[in-house]
Amino acid sequence: MTTPICDFVKKYTEKQTVRLHMPGHKGKNVLGFEHMDITEIDGADSLYEAEGIIAQSEANASQLFGCNTFYSAEGSSQCIRAMLYLVCVSAEKSNGRPFIMAARNAHKTFVSAAALMDFDVEWIYPEHQNSYLSCDISAQYLDKLIEQSVRKPDAVYLTSPDYLGNVADIKQIAQVCHKHGTLLVVDNAHGAYLKFLPQSQHPIDMGADLCCDSAHKTLPVLTGGAYLHISDKAPKDMAAMAKNALVMFGSTSPSYLIMQSLDMANRYIADGYTEKLEVLTDKIDKIKSALEQCGFTLAGTEKLKLAISTKPYGYTGSELAQILAQKDIVCEFSDPDYIVFMFTPQTDDDQLEYFARTLCSIPQKAAVTQLPPKFSKPQTVMSVRQAAFSKSEKVAVEDAEGRILASATVGCPPAVPIVVCGEKIDSAAVECFKYYGTDSCRVVK
Ligand SMILES: Cc1ncc(COP(=O)(O)O)c(C=O)c1O
């Protein structure tokens, strides 16, 4: 696998060029890594008009992922906006106001995209009541929802895998979407690696039209590196429009450090990544069994994630996170009910062993019986855009009941909104805010 971006930067840095161009560090190691950080000089190509080394590198990534793959140096967040823009453009062609049915556990970027692009959203709530982080939807349930909908959605939008490691049945869901002439868009921020399991579970292979992966979440890529993938089966002009879509939401100075890491990740993936994953998932499966034997209750089925529903073991997720932090183990995420850990082949065997041993050494206590407040379905009073562009004020959540939420009020991670801009904050929502530790929010004035 070639690494054209890395090769170019290496050669450039070796030449000791007088850099009278941005960035300001001029390649001097003021902070330690600047010499590798260049900008779009001659020969370095241009991310949004790629014809040279970036185009070659993206072609390598496309070959690995088996679809049209484009780089982002600004995370899945940029890719999500780009995907939704592509949906809006394709909806405009059919003369409609864009309409998207979205699973309610969408990342806040989906909500900010709705504010920016002003498409209509109908939320799909989970079939069974569970955490606000998850939204279990079967293909049959979705089929019924689309059939009963007054308007045919231009796209269905799902987050899979979710923060707790639940993976949707993308294959069946894609069939339902396509039966109704609807696009399937998947936020696969947590699942870049799914492509490289011995049997791919990547959303594009399962039938999704568009998806994004945060390469930095599960591959050894610098923070910010992500992919926008477009299926060959998606409407023809989507891949041709991809760069126009990404440039709408991206900086004009994309990071070459991030692009180099995406470039080098192609070689890393091609050089036995599937085998490494197979070995690792085997070890994680064993750790999961060992933890269950110690009395822990696991959630989710995702291969590289380990989520524990902590209350049956006698702790909140946040309490367990604190205990582990004192022993130098830092989790990905915790809340009152869950703690989540993420592993990659870069997690050493010693670390895996220490993690499992430490967790099992924490004594089990009487189960915590306090349940999370029931997740409400707040009433929509105005569009996301109207609310997000309204004059707003910050109020304590105790004083927010009856007010309309103006801007996404959400901790990150997990950045999944409990109430969405434009919705009325009811008493159940106030309870949820308090339970998850949110003490103030912005409401429409
Ligand atoms: C489900 C989900 N989607 C999207 C994002 C945004 O990804 P990024 O940080 O790569 O922009 C995140 C980030 O945590 C996420 O958890």
Side-chain angles (χ1 to χ4, degrees):
M1 185 59 69
T2 58
T3 53
I5 303 178
C6 295
D7 297 348
F8 176 87
V9 175
K10 187 163 181 286
K11 226 194 259 165
Y12 184 67
T13 53
E14 281 169 0
K15 273 204 307 215
Q16 305 291 326
T17 313
V18 181
R19 298 195 194 187
L20 301 184
H21 56 72
M22 293 187 281
H25 51 66
K26 308 295 181 197
K28 303 280 162 41
N29 274 337
V30 187
L31 305 174
F33 37 74
E34 296 85 342
H35 64 293
M36 309 278 279
D37 183 29
I38 61 160
T39 187
E40 293 166 324
I41 50 166
D42 226 20
D45 209 0
S46 167
L47 179 57
Y48 300 115
E49 283 129 34
E51 290 175 336
I53 57 170
I54 296 175
Q56 290 161 24
S57 186
E58 286 182 320
N60 287 342
S62 299
Q63 193 191 328
L64 290 168
F65 281 93
C67 59
N68 306 284
T69 296
F70 303 92
Y71 289 162
S72 161
E74 291 167 76
S76 281
S77 301
Q78 183 190 16
C79 301
I80 288 170
R81 294 183 186 112
M83 294 194 294
L84 296 167
Y85 170 81
L86 289 171
V87 169
C88 287
V89 171
S90 87
E92 283 299 321
K93 282 198 212 119
S94 55
N95 271 337
R97 188 181 152 82
F99 171 47
I100 298 175
M101 278 181 147
R104 178 67 186 204
N105 63 336
H107 186 265
K108 69 175 180 182
T109 300
F110 177 87
V111 179
S112 65
L116 290 173
M117 290 175 250
D118 201 21
F119 50 77
D120 291 332
V121 182
E122 186 172 308
W123 293 110
I124 308 172
Y125 285 92
E127 263 186 280
H128 310 96
Q129 179 75 30
N130 50 17
S131 165
Y132 76 111
L133 294 170
S134 300
C135 191
D136 61 322
I137 299 167
S138 68
Q140 292 86 334
Y141 177 63
L142 180 68
D143 194 21
K144 215 159 53 180
L145 288 180
I146 300 178
E147 230 144 49
Q148 288 166 354
S149 173
V150 183
R151 292 173 64 190
K152 190 186 82 173
D154 296 297
V156 166
Y157 180 92
L158 295 186
T159 302
S160 173
D162 67 26
Y163 235 100
L164 300 181
N166 297 298
V167 184
D169 185 354
I170 303 284
K171 198 168 180 179
Q172 299 287 328
I173 287 174
Q175 282 172 12
V176 166
C177 289
H178 295 149
K179 182 180 95 178
H180 290 283
T182 294
L183 294 166
L184 177 62
V185 179
V186 178
D187 173 350
N188 182 52
H190 290 241
Y193 75 96
L194 293 174
K195 172 73 192 176
F196 308 104
L197 290 172
Q199 191 139 28
S200 168
Q201 290 177 25
H202 194 264
I204 295 291
D205 290 329
M206 298 289 113
D209 295 284
L210 301 166
C211 91
C212 64
D213 311 345
S214 294
H216 66 91
K217 291 196 197 301
T218 58
L219 297 171
V221 165
L222 293 185
T223 297
Y227 308 111
L228 165 62
H229 303 292
I230 302 181
S231 165
D232 289 332
K233 298 190 190 110
K236 282 278 157 294
D237 48 357
M238 282 206 167
M241 285 285 291
K243 291 281 181 185
N244 303 50
L246 286 160
V247 77
M248 297 266 297
F249 307 104
S251 161
T252 49
S253 307
S255 162
Y256 270 76
L257 286 176
I258 295 172
M259 285 194 278
Q260 283 172 82
S261 74
L262 286 165
D263 188 40
M264 195 55 94
N266 291 333
R267 179 177 287 170
Y268 173 82
I269 290 167
D271 286 352
Y273 179 55
T274 293
E275 291 72 22
K276 286 189 190 117
L277 270 185
E278 213 173 348
V279 172
L280 177 68
T281 52
D282 215 41
K283 290 176 191 164
I284 296 172
D285 284 348
K286 289 197 176 98
I287 289 179
K288 285 181 178 177
S289 302
L291 291 180
E292 279 179 323
Q293 288 200 342
C294 286
F296 286 103
T297 306
L298 304 188
T301 58
E302 203 204 310
K303 287 288 186 188
L304 293 193
K305 213 178 251 155
L306 196 159
I308 299 176
S309 168
T310 57
K311 284 184 175 168
Y313 199 76
Y315 300 82
T316 65
S318 320
E319 282 168 350
L320 268 193
Q322 267 180 19
I323 295 170
L324 290 171
Q326 280 160 10
K327 297 171 190 291
D328 292 327
I329 295 172
V330 179
C331 65
E332 162 60 25
F333 165 73
S334 69
D335 76 1
D337 298 274
Y338 294 98
I339 187 163
V340 176
F341 308 94
M342 290 173 82
F343 306 92
T344 73
Q346 280 64 49
T347 319
D348 302 334
D349 282 356
D350 288 356
Q351 293 177 328
L352 286 174
E353 193 272 328
Y354 176 61
F355 162 75
R357 184 161 40 88
T358 307
L359 208 46
C360 280
S361 73
I362 299 172
Q364 185 166 9
K365 299 195 298 190
V368 178
T369 50
Q370 187 200 11
L371 292 173
K374 269 223 174 310
F375 187 53
S376 68
K377 295 184 184 177
Q379 181 198 354
T380 301
V381 178
M382 57 174 76
S383 73
V384 172
R385 184 181 174 87
Q386 280 172 320
F389 283 81
S390 296
K391 293 245 184 306
S392 64
E393 60 184 335
K394 195 171 169 181
V395 297
V397 292
E398 288 82 4
D399 302 326
E401 191 175 336
R403 305 290 299 270
I404 301 162
L405 191 79
S407 73
T409 305
V410 47
C412 189
V416 177
I418 292 167
V419 181
V420 168
C421 322
E423 290 177 343
K424 192 185 253 185
I425 300 166
D426 56 20
S427 59
V430 170
E431 284 313 302
C432 270
F433 277 144
K434 285 196 207 157
Y435 182 79
Y436 290 107
T438 299
D439 46 22
S440 65
C441 57
R442 290 203 80 81
V443 294
V444 174
K445 249 188 178 169

